[in-house]
Amino acid sequence: MKRGGLVSFVGAGPGDPELITLKGLRRLREADVVIHDRLIPGEVLEQTRPRVEVIDVGKAPGRPCLGQGEINRLLVDRGAGRRHVVRLKGGDPTIFGRLAEEIEAVRTAGLAFEVVPGITSATAAAARAGISLTERGSSSTVVFATGAVHGNRKALALDWDLLAHTGGTLVFYMPVGRLESVTASLTSLGRDPREPAILIERVGVVGERVIAGRLGDISERGRAAGVAAPALLITGPTVAAASEPATVRRVASHLAGVSDG
Ligand code: SAH
């Protein structure tokens, strides 16, 4: 017998308020408590019932954020007493979202949980740039990798040799700050520096930008453009078809009003 309520881990999508599933929206409308990350559109948060407790645990520059342990404790605390907690996470909860740790906390506390998928920023970015992540003949694999280093490990724990030779499409989440080392690791092990690559910043939110280049110069271009998080690096043969940044910017101007909170 489960002792408490239900925790629904819901993917909110990458920031465009229309990119949340109907199931996710329904959970949000039923929730007693909402615990959310940053970059959740205001329009989505407005879907909650009146007087629902809404807790922002997101990390933002210059603002205090909660540590993972505190988030886990909050989930367990609010999930007790038969309440329905929605843990709203950016993109898809199963991709670089520390979901396993949160599930573990909830499960250990004897609470029921479910996961409602969301649109991950990689597929939203591909959609915005007008590219396919796979293509018959040229890209039959897609790798979602992180450019971030955790703990006190100095190097990224990635099999660079494999990534350099796998062909297909590589998507790096959290690449800002490590563009040089990510791209140099790939090209020094034999990935073609002329391969088309793009950086996509703030997919689906105000300030969306696409910076296009090649694997060998995208880090320099990103630096020159002052690219900042959240952004993705996508490299691979199918990226050649990416739309001009101007086209994407024009579409993005219709999204004014989407908040970053
Ligand atoms: N669970 C999320 C990823 C969390 S890790 C997902 O499925 O998308 C956070 C990283 O995701 C950011 O550093 C960035 O690389 C990427 N990201 C998330 N939202 C983004 C957006 N709107 N535009 C560009 N990148 C985004």
Side-chain angles (χ1 to χ4, degrees), residues 24-233:
L25 206 54
R26 184 166 294 147
R27 293 296 184 273
L28 199 60
R29 287 175 176 153
E30 293 163 357
D32 299 311
V33 183
V34 176
I35 301 176
H36 71 90
D37 291 339
R38 75 183 285 249
L39 216 79
I40 305 293
E43 254 176 276
V44 167
L45 291 174
E46 282 164 18
Q47 299 294 319
T48 55
R49 295 182 299 182
R51 289 180 297 282
V52 161
E53 185 184 16
V54 178
I55 308 169
D56 178 0
V57 294
K59 301 185 185 85
R63 263 208 287 142
C65 66
L66 293 189
Q68 190 62 49
E70 291 168 287
I71 295 174
N72 296 351
R73 277 191 289 280
L74 207 52
L75 280 170
V76 168
D77 177 72
R78 296 306 195 270
R82 311 209 71 79
R83 274 178 292 190
H84 184 188
V85 178
V86 165
R87 172 69 175 110
L88 199 56
K89 296 171 87 75
D92 182 273
T94 69
I95 310 276
F96 303 127
R98 303 188 72 171
L99 178 65
E101 294 162 64
E102 296 185 13
I103 286 179
E104 178 61 23
V106 163
R107 193 183 265 148
T108 305
L111 302 177
F113 75 91
E114 65 169 353
V115 181
V116 179
I119 294 176
T120 192
S121 46
T123 55
R128 297 294 292 154
I131 59 167
S132 179
L133 291 176
T134 63
E135 206 168 291
R136 230 157 26 134
S138 70
S139 284
S140 47
T141 57
V142 185
V143 175
F144 291 171
T146 172
V149 191
H150 291 292
N152 46 19
R153 276 174 283 149
K154 288 212 168 54
L156 292 176
L158 291 175
D159 186 341
W160 290 106
D161 203 42
L162 180 79
L163 293 179
H165 295 107
T166 186
T169 309
L170 306 179
V171 182
F172 286 92
Y173 287 68
M174 299 170 269
V176 177
R178 304 163 189 94
L179 284 171
E180 178 69 45
S181 78
V182 166
T183 55
S185 299
L186 294 170
T187 53
S188 67
L189 288 166
R191 203 161 169 115
D192 188 352
R194 292 165 303 175
E195 177 175 271
I198 48 172
L199 282 164
I200 308 196
E201 192 180 6
R202 299 181 64 82
V203 174
V205 285
V206 174
E208 180 181 60
R209 278 201 295 177
V210 177
I211 296 144
R214 295 186 180 274
L215 187 55
D217 67 12
I218 194 70
S219 127
E220 179 54 45
R221 284 173 188 267
R223 185 151 19 114
V227 73
L232 293 161
L233 168 67

